[in-house]
Amino acid sequence: MIKVASETTLAYISNNLVYASMLAYTVAMVAFAVSFAQGRGRSDSSMSVRDTEQAQSVVGSASVDVLERTDVESEPGSEPGRRAGNIGMSVMWLATLLLLGGVVARGLSSGRVPWGNMYEFSITSALGISLAFLVVSLKRDVRWLGMLVVIPVLLTLGTAVAVLYTDSAPLVPALKSWWLLIHVSAAIICAGAFTLGAAVTVLYLMVTRVDRRVAAGEGAGWFGAIAQRVPSADRLDQMAYRTNAFVFPLWTFAVVAGAIWAESAWGRYWGWDPKETWAFITWVVYAAYLHARATAGWKGHRAAAIGLVGYGCFLFNYFGVNLLFSGLHSYSGVK
Amino acid sequence: MSDPGIDEASAGLTTQPESDVTSPNPAGIGATGWLRWAWRTLTSMRAALILLFLLAVAAIPGSTFPQRGTNTVEVSQYIARNPTWGPILDRLGMFDVFAAPWFAAIYLLLMVSLAGCVIPRARLHWRAMRAQPPAAPSRLSRLPEHRTLELDGSPADVLTAAETVLRARRWRVRREVAPSGESTWVAAETGYLRETGNLLFHLALLALLVAVAAGGMFGAKGQVIVREGSAFSNTLTQYDSFSPGRLFKADRLVPFTVHLDQFRATYQEDGMQRGAPRDFAADVVYSTGPGTAERKATIGVNEPLAIDGTKVFLVGHGYAPTFVIKDATGKVLLDDSVVFLPQDGNFTSDGVIKIPDATPQIGFTGVFLPTAERDPVRGGFSSFPAPLRPEVFLSVWRGDLGLDKGTPQSVYRLDTSSMERLGLKDLKPGQIWTLPDGLGTLTFTGVSEYATFNVASDPGSGWALAAAVLAIVGLSLSLFVRRRRLWVRVPDTSPDPKVEVEFGALGRSEAPGLDEELDSVVAAVRRAVEGV
């Protein structure tokens, strides 16, 4: 009984840590928003970064590498919105530490890896997205991406807490396997990377829109202020491609690992279960994205749109398939 | 790129088709022209892109409609519920999407397109692999990445050092020595594995498709229900359902017998997930033929039993209540366990008993509840999957069971069209029911469990796994290896004794880090020449 009591306590602590992290993420989101809003005040003088970058690419260095070194970092320190951005980053660290505590406590309370149902998968994915962002932020200044990271993190956590919550409990038998560790952790990393890739793709599409409007002599529009504070369209496109190119083999691996597990659990490695079907669809759409990037007439916008469709398929595979269809993967625990 | 030197230098950096534009107007070029046009269109990147899209879209109905392969019962229910659209959708193959001709057409076209694209690329790559790196462009300063520095040493020393450094880094190196002693250069190229990986990935996909198809054709799978205390042999007649591949032969069934000693299940007993299963295991004894040793094994979820390439998987379970039925004279008509099929997560189960030997014939339909609960609206139901308070509700029927008509009948369904119902009774274990009209007695003696096993042999699965692993390896190589070229040139204007050296590098735009790599090569060459 003592063991049971301590497990319940841990689950309770975990829930509170997740709530606390959500509060902190909200603060971080506000700080990032303020950082953007303050940047808007000085529309002309702050064109610096993007102008330099574009100037450099015009000068004939088609190489990415030149662009890469020109980071938002090089802006002067006195720039408005910088302090808010820094606060956002600090709070982001705090929130992620709280969430890490929540995930670990959840795992301890059930005595296994914390991704045995949709609630746990969601909070661990949110942690994965945040950690990926923070690790990248150690090397380069990616505060401009903060807003686009914190929003999906909050949405994921909100859905997890409000819709997907299930009590901490041991696993259903089908999930008792080493493949839970391998297949699902690969899927979690994919969730994080796909999200980052999609976030950057959205930014890319917005920035190209602003660029088009400016080129056409129209005003930059409401997004103009934000577009000034992020890297150039070319660089965003490259980043989105690299993220998606990194995640595609991993997604392939996650699907293959799932097939191996399915073979040992159900006696067939592929059975077109709804989850398998949508994993396949996601894979095919991202394959189309990679091909589009290399096809004349499909680069840029169209490829970006395909990438977003792929992300949509990935999300549907997670939320839609688990909650709408009944299949062998109905492990959500949601009643 | 206006510099012809650079165009030449970047030629063949990828074997990706230079131009995908197919002839817009194939009219008037004759049958061969049409064929060539069709082939070029099919093997273009654009066609591959469109086919990929079609494949993704075509797979969607496979998840929204119930599918024959996995859920035959739901398909019939769906068609029954939708009398207008059901048959139309059925005609279109919506209930068997992944076996439908139009789905096959898409992926076969994709595979042909893939082969048509990959084979010429493989030829190009084969040539590129054996070719020398292209000559240095006349002015390396035009390359996106370039460095110029002065070194102490002769042009020959510098070029030898560059050659050594690049060879040590496993670059392919070509050194040009002009007979006149004029400016010479070193050209180097590396990252051929990118294209190798790309080709490997696409070929592995073809192999995967072949392995899956072969496994499906030569393999077989069947399902069998085994009650505790009974056994099944791996022969066709013992299966409840059996789906062989088209080229499967019954003599390929591996001979073995599996006897189920005991089935064990545990469930969550409290909390929100009360009743959720926690563990299943089937303790079995098996032998691979008469006269061979019997071996014990436990088949669990995720832990199949493998016998000579055939695997036995535990995929389900249920209850088989035991009954003794006697006629009015006391003669035993049945003394056995009867399989009841679960209808919900708490194992409210339906079943029938047929007694063809009685005159007139009698039959029972019933519901078994492992943990019986009563509700004024729902009537009896089960509130927990384990047999905590087992109970059966039985109806007895008299008449013609319809077994002699020759039409096959499900053992789980009682055809009551020519029978009349005589009475209804609920029983707890040990209770005896004296049947109406002097038909005899029925004793509910207790509860045993049964396990459902999938038995599968798939000779293609190993090959499929190997192909999948190769595909991942190829994919990683093609996405992470960078193909790039590097040149070192000593211009003829070099002042003596110092020599001015030009370095230049070229890579695909997706390849990051080319500048750092060039810096590192430059530093290494400097060290080698100046001995610093």
Side-chain angles (χ1 to χ4, degrees), chain B residues 211-285:
Chain B
V212 170
M217 277 194 276
F218 291 102
K221 57 184 182 223
Q223 201 168 67
V224 59
I225 285 177
V226 185
R227 289 167 292 162
E228 281 176 330
S230 62
F232 93 97
S233 303
N234 192 24
T235 52
L236 281 181
T237 51
Q238 297 245 323
Y239 281 101
D240 295 310
S241 70
F242 191 77
S243 42
R246 251 169 233 161
L247 301 176
F248 177 82
K249 295 204 173 62
D251 57 15
R252 278 223 194 84
L253 283 174
V254 177
F256 63 83
T257 303
V258 173
H259 181 271
L260 178 63
D261 280 353
Q262 196 195 1
F263 179 84
R264 293 175 282 134
T266 52
Y267 304 94
Q268 178 83 12
E269 292 187 354
D270 47 23
M272 246 173 79
Q273 298 204 10
R274 182 173 189 269
R278 288 297 164 231
D279 202 13
F280 300 131
D283 295 326
V284 300
V285 173

Side-chain angles (χ1 to χ4, degrees), chain B residues 35 39 41 61 94-95 126 130 155 167-168 191 204 212 231 233 237 246 272 282 307 359 368 397 416 421 477 525:
Chain B
L35 273 176
W39 177 250
T41 307
M94 290 298 170
F95 303 116
W126 176 248
R130 292 184 305 167
R167 280 200 199 281
V212 170
S233 303
T237 51
R246 251 169 233 161
M272 246 173 79
I307 306 169
T359 27
F368 171 77
W397 300 74
T416 55
R421 184 153 82 165
L477 287 175
V525 171

Side-chain angles (χ1 to χ4, degrees), chain B residues 145-340:
Chain B
E145 286 299 333
H146 57 86
R147 309 279 185 274
T148 307
L149 68 156
E150 288 195 340
L151 291 174
D152 283 320
S154 70
D157 288 347
V158 171
L159 292 174
T160 307
E163 197 180 342
T164 317
V165 164
L166 288 164
R167 280 200 199 281
R169 293 175 182 220
R170 311 184 66 83
W171 287 60
R172 173 168 304 169
V173 181
R174 165 182 172 195
R175 180 167 177 181
E176 188 76 2
V177 185
S180 58
E182 284 170 21
S183 73
T184 49
W185 43 261
V186 164
E189 182 164 1
T190 192
Y192 297 91
L193 273 178
R194 181 187 186 90
E195 185 66 11
T196 310
N198 188 8
L199 296 171
L200 176 67
F201 167 69
H202 287 97
L203 292 174
L205 284 189
L206 288 174
L208 180 64
L209 185 75
V210 171
V212 170
M217 277 194 276
F218 291 102
K221 57 184 182 223
Q223 201 168 67
V224 59
I225 285 177
V226 185
R227 289 167 292 162
E228 281 176 330
S230 62
F232 93 97
S233 303
N234 192 24
T235 52
L236 281 181
T237 51
Q238 297 245 323
Y239 281 101
D240 295 310
S241 70
F242 191 77
S243 42
R246 251 169 233 161
L247 301 176
F248 177 82
K249 295 204 173 62
D251 57 15
R252 278 223 194 84
L253 283 174
V254 177
F256 63 83
T257 303
V258 173
H259 181 271
L260 178 63
D261 280 353
Q262 196 195 1
F263 179 84
R264 293 175 282 134
T266 52
Y267 304 94
Q268 178 83 12
E269 292 187 354
D270 47 23
M272 246 173 79
Q273 298 204 10
R274 182 173 189 269
R278 288 297 164 231
D279 202 13
F280 300 131
D283 295 326
V284 300
V285 173
Y286 69 99
S287 63
T288 51
T292 58
E294 291 199 329
R295 268 168 288 188
K296 282 190 177 223
T298 298
I299 306 177
V301 179
N302 286 320
E303 287 155 17
L305 171 66
I307 306 169
D308 291 343
T310 295
K311 286 185 177 175
V312 182
F313 303 87
L314 176 62
V315 293
H317 69 108
Y319 291 100
T322 54
F323 301 99
V324 174
I325 300 172
K326 296 178 183 165
D327 68 8
T329 64
K331 186 180 134 202
V332 175
L333 299 171
L334 177 123
D335 179 5
D336 204 356
S337 56
V338 179
V339 168
F340 275 49

